[in-house]
Protein backbone atom coordinates (compact mmCIF):
# COMPACT_ATOMS: atom_id res chain seq x y z
CA UNK A 1 0.00 0.00 0.00
CA UNK A 2 1.00 3.58 -0.58
CA UNK A 3 0.55 5.67 2.55
CA UNK A 4 0.30 9.42 2.97
CA UNK A 5 -0.82 10.99 6.27
CA UNK A 6 -3.14 8.14 7.30
CA UNK A 7 -2.37 7.98 11.02
CA UNK A 8 -6.09 7.82 11.87
CA UNK A 9 -6.61 4.52 10.05
CA UNK A 10 -3.31 2.76 9.35
CA UNK A 11 -3.16 1.01 12.72
CA UNK A 12 -6.65 -0.45 12.30
CA UNK A 13 -5.93 -1.65 8.75
CA UNK A 14 -2.66 -3.33 9.73
CA UNK A 15 -4.21 -4.94 12.81
CA UNK A 16 -7.01 -6.33 10.61
CA UNK A 17 -4.49 -7.73 8.11
CA UNK A 18 -2.52 -9.38 10.90
CA UNK A 19 -5.71 -10.87 12.35
CA UNK A 20 -7.13 -12.36 9.16
CA UNK A 21 -3.77 -13.70 7.90
CA UNK A 22 -2.56 -14.98 11.29
CA UNK A 23 0.44 -12.67 10.94
CA UNK A 24 1.73 -14.43 7.80
CA UNK A 25 1.38 -11.48 5.42
CA UNK A 26 4.42 -9.40 4.52
CA UNK A 27 3.17 -5.80 4.60
CA UNK A 28 5.01 -3.10 2.65
CA UNK A 29 4.08 0.57 3.01
CA UNK A 30 5.62 3.13 0.66
CA UNK A 31 5.27 6.29 2.66
CA UNK A 32 5.63 10.03 2.10
CA UNK A 33 3.80 11.17 5.23
CA UNK A 34 4.48 14.12 7.49
CA UNK A 35 2.46 12.64 10.39
CA UNK A 36 2.93 9.45 12.47
CA UNK A 37 1.81 7.04 9.74
CA UNK A 38 5.25 5.42 9.18
CA UNK A 39 5.87 5.06 12.92
CA UNK A 40 2.52 3.34 13.45
CA UNK A 41 3.17 1.06 10.47
CA UNK A 42 6.55 -0.01 11.88
CA UNK A 43 4.96 -0.63 15.28
CA UNK A 44 2.68 -3.15 13.53
CA UNK A 45 5.62 -4.91 11.87
CA UNK A 46 5.26 -3.41 8.39
CA UNK A 47 8.24 -2.67 6.18
CA UNK A 48 8.23 1.06 5.47
CA UNK A 49 9.92 2.42 2.35
CA UNK A 50 10.20 6.19 2.63
CA UNK A 51 9.61 8.13 -0.57
CA UNK A 52 9.11 11.79 -1.43
CA UNK A 53 5.42 12.29 -2.34
CA UNK A 54 5.16 11.77 -6.10
CA UNK A 55 1.60 10.57 -6.49
CA UNK A 56 -0.47 7.42 -6.07
CA UNK A 57 0.98 5.39 -8.90
CA UNK A 58 4.63 5.97 -8.04
CA UNK A 59 4.06 4.81 -4.47
CA UNK A 60 1.94 1.78 -5.39
CA UNK A 61 4.35 0.71 -8.13
CA UNK A 62 7.17 0.66 -5.57
CA UNK A 63 4.98 -1.23 -3.11
CA UNK A 64 3.93 -3.99 -5.50
CA UNK A 65 7.44 -4.63 -6.83
CA UNK A 66 9.16 -4.76 -3.43
CA UNK A 67 7.87 -8.04 -1.89
CA UNK A 68 9.34 -11.37 -3.02
CA UNK A 69 6.04 -13.22 -2.75
CA UNK A 70 4.14 -15.25 -5.40
CA UNK A 71 0.90 -13.34 -4.69
CA UNK A 72 0.72 -9.58 -4.14
CA UNK A 73 -2.32 -7.82 -2.71
CA UNK A 74 -2.89 -4.08 -2.86
CA UNK A 75 -5.19 -2.15 -0.57
CA UNK A 76 -5.70 1.39 0.65
CA UNK A 77 -4.78 2.44 4.17
CA UNK A 78 -7.90 4.52 4.96
CA UNK A 79 -10.00 1.63 6.39
CA UNK A 80 -12.47 1.64 3.48
CA UNK A 81 -11.69 -1.91 2.32
CA UNK A 82 -12.74 -5.15 4.09
CA UNK A 83 -9.58 -6.99 5.12
CA UNK A 84 -11.72 -10.00 6.07
CA UNK A 85 -12.02 -10.59 2.30
CA UNK A 86 -8.28 -11.33 1.95
CA UNK A 87 -8.72 -15.12 2.31
CA UNK A 88 -11.38 -15.07 -0.42
CA UNK A 89 -9.03 -13.15 -2.74
CA UNK A 90 -6.26 -15.68 -2.13
CA UNK A 91 -8.64 -18.59 -2.66
CA UNK A 92 -9.61 -17.20 -6.07
CA UNK A 93 -5.94 -16.91 -7.00
CA UNK A 94 -5.42 -20.50 -5.86
CA UNK A 95 -8.29 -21.58 -8.15
CA UNK A 96 -6.32 -20.28 -11.14
CA UNK A 97 -7.20 -16.61 -11.60
CA UNK A 98 -4.30 -14.26 -12.34
CA UNK A 99 -5.90 -11.08 -10.98
CA UNK A 100 -8.73 -10.69 -8.45
CA UNK A 101 -10.23 -7.20 -8.44
CA UNK A 102 -12.47 -5.94 -5.65
CA UNK A 103 -15.74 -4.54 -7.00
CA UNK A 104 -16.85 -1.80 -4.59
CA UNK A 105 -19.87 -0.80 -6.67
CA UNK A 106 -21.61 -4.20 -6.65
CA UNK A 107 -23.26 -3.53 -3.27
CA UNK A 108 -23.92 0.15 -4.04
CA UNK A 109 -20.94 1.76 -2.25
CA UNK A 110 -23.27 4.09 -0.33
CA UNK A 111 -20.38 5.24 1.87
CA UNK A 112 -18.63 6.66 -1.20
CA UNK A 113 -19.29 10.35 -2.01
CA UNK A 114 -21.92 10.61 -4.74
CA UNK A 115 -19.60 12.41 -7.18
CA UNK A 116 -16.95 9.72 -6.75
CA UNK A 117 -19.52 6.97 -7.19
CA UNK A 118 -20.81 8.54 -10.39
CA UNK A 119 -17.26 8.98 -11.65
CA UNK A 120 -16.36 5.36 -10.94
CA UNK A 121 -19.39 4.12 -12.85
CA UNK A 122 -18.37 6.37 -15.75
CA UNK A 123 -14.77 5.10 -15.68
CA UNK A 124 -16.00 1.50 -15.78
CA UNK A 125 -18.33 2.24 -18.69
CA UNK A 126 -15.54 3.97 -20.61
CA UNK A 127 -13.09 1.15 -20.04
CA UNK A 128 -15.69 -1.47 -20.97
CA UNK A 129 -16.39 0.23 -24.31
CA UNK A 130 -12.73 0.70 -25.16
CA UNK A 131 -11.75 -2.86 -24.20
CA UNK A 132 -14.83 -4.65 -25.50
CA UNK A 133 -15.03 -6.41 -22.13
CA UNK A 134 -17.49 -5.53 -19.35
CA UNK A 135 -15.89 -4.38 -16.11
CA UNK A 136 -17.62 -2.84 -13.12
CA UNK A 137 -14.95 -1.07 -11.03
CA UNK A 138 -11.74 0.08 -12.71
CA UNK A 139 -10.27 2.17 -9.89
CA UNK A 140 -10.58 -0.10 -6.87
CA UNK A 141 -7.51 -0.17 -4.67
CA UNK A 142 -8.03 -3.74 -3.44
CA UNK A 143 -6.67 -6.42 -5.78
CA UNK A 144 -4.63 -9.60 -5.73
CA UNK A 145 -2.11 -10.40 -8.48
CA UNK A 146 0.10 -13.29 -9.38
CA UNK A 147 3.65 -11.99 -9.30
CA UNK A 148 4.27 -12.84 -12.95
CA UNK A 149 1.52 -10.40 -13.99
CA UNK A 150 3.26 -7.59 -12.15
CA UNK A 151 6.62 -8.51 -13.65
CA UNK A 152 5.38 -9.08 -17.20
CA UNK A 153 3.86 -5.66 -17.86
CA UNK A 154 5.54 -2.26 -17.97
CA UNK A 155 3.34 0.07 -15.93
CA UNK A 156 3.35 3.74 -16.96
CA UNK A 157 0.54 5.62 -15.21
CA UNK A 158 0.48 7.57 -11.94
CA UNK A 159 -2.96 8.81 -10.88
CA UNK A 160 -4.50 6.29 -13.26
CA UNK A 161 -2.37 3.31 -12.21
CA UNK A 162 -5.29 1.51 -10.57
CA UNK A 163 -7.19 1.43 -13.88
CA UNK A 164 -4.03 0.45 -15.78
CA UNK A 165 -3.46 -2.47 -13.40
CA UNK A 166 -6.81 -3.86 -14.54
CA UNK A 167 -6.87 -2.90 -18.23
CA UNK A 168 -3.47 -4.19 -19.35
CA UNK A 169 -3.85 -7.69 -17.83
CA UNK A 170 -7.39 -8.03 -19.24
CA UNK A 171 -6.37 -6.97 -22.73
CA UNK A 172 -3.37 -9.31 -22.69
CA UNK A 173 -5.49 -12.35 -21.95
CA UNK A 174 -4.79 -12.86 -18.27
CA UNK A 175 -7.56 -14.48 -16.22
CA UNK A 176 -9.12 -11.53 -14.36
CA UNK A 177 -12.14 -11.84 -12.08
CA UNK A 178 -14.05 -9.15 -10.18
CA UNK A 179 -15.08 -10.03 -6.63
CA UNK A 180 -17.81 -7.99 -4.86
CA UNK A 181 -16.65 -6.24 -1.68
CA UNK A 182 -18.22 -3.84 0.80
CA UNK A 183 -16.92 -0.28 0.94
CA UNK A 184 -16.81 1.74 4.17
CA UNK A 185 -16.56 5.44 4.87
CA UNK A 186 -12.93 6.50 4.89
CA UNK A 187 -11.11 7.62 8.03
CA UNK A 188 -9.31 10.94 7.52
CA UNK A 189 -9.33 13.35 4.62
CA UNK A 190 -9.10 12.28 0.98
CA UNK A 191 -5.96 13.40 -0.87
CA UNK A 192 -7.41 13.20 -4.39
CA UNK A 193 -8.97 16.21 -6.12
CA UNK A 194 -12.12 14.69 -7.70
CA UNK A 195 -12.04 16.92 -10.80
CA UNK A 196 -8.33 16.85 -11.62
CA UNK A 197 -8.01 13.27 -10.47
CA UNK A 198 -11.04 12.24 -12.51
CA UNK A 199 -9.60 13.83 -15.64
CA UNK A 200 -6.26 12.05 -15.13
CA UNK A 201 -7.96 8.68 -14.61
CA UNK A 202 -10.15 9.06 -17.72
CA UNK A 203 -7.10 10.11 -19.75
CA UNK A 204 -5.18 7.08 -18.50
CA UNK A 205 -8.01 4.71 -19.38
CA UNK A 206 -8.10 6.04 -22.95
CA UNK A 207 -4.32 6.04 -23.34
CA UNK A 208 -3.76 2.56 -21.93
CA UNK A 209 -6.64 0.96 -23.87
CA UNK A 210 -5.39 2.55 -27.11
CA UNK A 211 -1.84 1.34 -26.46
CA UNK A 212 -3.09 -2.18 -25.88
CA UNK A 213 -5.25 -2.09 -29.03
CA UNK A 214 -2.25 -0.98 -31.09
CA UNK A 215 -0.16 -3.69 -29.47
CA UNK A 216 -2.67 -6.29 -30.68
CA UNK A 217 -2.44 -5.19 -34.32
CA UNK A 218 -0.27 -7.30 -36.64
CA UNK A 219 2.93 -5.51 -37.54
CA UNK A 220 4.08 -5.18 -41.14
CA UNK A 221 7.47 -6.80 -41.72
CA UNK A 222 10.22 -4.24 -42.09
CA UNK A 223 11.62 -3.70 -45.56
CA UNK A 224 15.38 -3.86 -45.29
CA UNK A 225 17.54 -1.81 -47.62
CA UNK A 226 19.48 -3.83 -50.18
Amino acid sequence: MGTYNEEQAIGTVLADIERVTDGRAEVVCVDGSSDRTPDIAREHGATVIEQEPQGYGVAVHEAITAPERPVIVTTDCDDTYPMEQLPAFLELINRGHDVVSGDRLYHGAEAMPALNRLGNHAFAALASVLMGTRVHDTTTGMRAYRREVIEDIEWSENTGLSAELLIRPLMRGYDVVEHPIAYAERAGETKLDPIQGGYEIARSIGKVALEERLRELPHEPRQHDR
Side-chain angles (χ1 to χ4, degrees):
M1 63 182 77
T3 57
Y4 182 67
N5 291 347
E6 299 286 359
E7 64 180 7
Q8 294 184 46
I10 187 69
T12 300
V13 174
L14 294 178
D16 287 345
I17 293 172
E18 183 174 15
R19 173 176 51 81
V20 300
T21 65
D22 295 325
R24 291 177 290 176
E26 175 188 357
V27 180
V28 176
C29 300
V30 177
D31 185 76
S33 299
S34 58
D35 64 4
R36 293 193 62 250
T37 298
D39 299 326
I40 297 169
R42 289 189 182 99
E43 289 168 5
H44 283 269
T47 297
V48 177
I49 301 172
E50 296 192 24
Q51 182 185 87
E52 286 295 319
Q54 300 171 67
Y56 173 84
V58 175
V60 171
H61 184 272
E62 178 71 19
I64 62 178
T65 54
E68 295 290 337
R69 294 291 185 102
V71 179
I72 298 161
V73 179
T74 61
T75 187
D76 288 353
C77 50
D78 55 11
D79 202 24
T80 55
Y81 291 96
M83 295 301 98
E84 62 270 15
Q85 286 292 320
L86 287 174
F89 274 55
L90 296 175
E91 174 60 25
L92 287 166
I93 292 288
N94 288 336
R95 290 182 192 173
H97 299 292
D98 297 309
V99 179
V100 180
S101 186
D103 178 4
R104 302 165 297 174
L105 304 176
Y106 182 89
H107 295 297
E110 294 300 323
M112 186 182 294
L115 180 61
N116 293 27
R117 192 163 59 249
L118 177 63
N120 283 316
H121 280 295
F123 298 146
L126 175 62
S128 298
V129 169
L130 294 177
M131 292 190 298
T133 301
R134 182 74 172 99
V135 292
H136 301 88
D137 189 356
T138 56
T139 56
T140 178
M142 188 172 182
R143 291 201 186 106
Y145 308 85
R146 291 188 188 275
R147 184 170 190 82
E148 52 264 37
V149 178
I150 298 299
E151 294 178 341
D152 183 49
I153 299 173
E154 294 183 2
W155 311 101
S156 63
E157 298 305 291
N158 193 352
T159 304
L161 179 67
S162 185
E164 183 183 19
L165 283 164
L166 180 69
I167 293 170
R168 291 202 195 274
L170 264 171
M171 296 187 73
R172 295 194 190 190
Y174 283 102
D175 188 332
V176 179
V177 63
E178 292 188 290
H179 178 68
I181 59 172
Y183 184 80
E185 185 174 352
R186 68 167 287 126
E189 297 296 322
T190 182
K191 315 302 187 302
L192 181 67
D193 180 291
I195 304 302
Q196 182 63 30
Y199 166 77
E200 290 294 334
I201 292 167
R203 182 199 61 79
S204 291
I205 290 171
K207 171 178 175 288
V208 168
L210 176 61
E211 288 176 352
E212 292 299 314
R213 283 291 182 207
L214 293 175
R215 183 178 178 276
E216 294 172 355
L217 294 175
H219 296 286
E220 292 292 332
R222 293 183 180 180
Q223 299 297 319
H224 297 286
D225 294 333
R226 295 185 179 180

